[in-house]
Amino acid sequence: MEKERTCCCEDENTMTNDCCCGEEETSEKGCCANRTKVRSAEEKHAIEVRINRIVGQLNGIKNMIENDRYCDDVLIQLSAVNKSVKGLANLVLDAHMHSCLIENIQAGNFEVVDEIVALFKRFQ
């Protein structure tokens, strides 16, 4: 049974930080744009390193296009970026499951199980 959406940014096809319910409106769950995750300095550093590597890869691809590099070379680099992004997603997902998910379940919020199932569907 699908839960009723309380916020437009919960739509699986929408990638935005904007929330339709506004900051002042409250619901049982609250607006998903207002949820936060406190990360350790080490976790932030690991994520930042990966993001910087991905940005570097994308800049390299941009230069390849500007320099009329052969399609195969560009596609190989795009594949590398795809793997890098998936690696970053797995890093964040791993941290999420070992912190947010466990904490919410221990607090009796079993809706997070539906959220994690929806996340897995996005990665198929």
Side-chain angles (χ1 to χ4, degrees):
M1 181 163 148
E2 189 171 323
K3 67 177 184 166
E4 182 179 324
R5 296 193 186 281
T6 59
C7 182
C8 62
C9 48
E10 289 181 3
D11 185 326
E12 65 187 40
N13 297 317
T14 304
M15 295 193 64
T16 179
N17 289 330
D18 298 328
C19 188
C20 61
C21 57
E23 290 183 31
E24 294 164 30
E25 184 174 328
T26 59
S27 65
E28 181 180 316
K29 184 176 175 184
C31 180
C32 58
N34 292 328
R35 295 189 297 180
T36 60
K37 162 68 170 116
V38 177
R39 293 176 175 83
S40 68
E42 296 82 16
E43 185 178 0
K44 286 181 182 180
H45 178 72
I47 291 170
E48 186 176 315
V49 166
R50 286 178 182 249
I51 289 172
N52 288 340
R53 185 177 308 130
I54 292 165
V55 168
Q57 289 174 309
L58 289 171
N59 285 331
I61 293 169
K62 181 180 176 187
N63 289 333
M64 292 174 78
I65 297 298
E66 290 171 356
N67 295 322
D68 297 321
R69 292 284 298 271
Y70 192 62
C71 297
D72 283 358
D73 296 335
V74 173
L75 290 168
I76 289 168
Q77 291 306 310
L78 285 169
S79 175
V81 169
N82 188 34
K83 289 179 183 178
S84 295
V85 170
K86 285 182 180 181
L88 174 59
N90 286 332
L91 178 71
V92 174
L93 181 61
D94 183 75
H96 176 62
M97 293 191 69
H98 284 96
S99 60
C100 303
L101 187 68
I102 291 172
E103 291 166 7
N104 275 280
I105 289 173
Q106 288 174 340
N109 178 11
F110 298 104
E111 290 179 10
V112 294
V113 174
D114 293 333
E115 290 175 7
I116 201 74
V117 169
L119 281 173
F120 281 126
K121 288 179 181 178
R122 285 183 183 215
F123 288 103
Q124 289 183 357

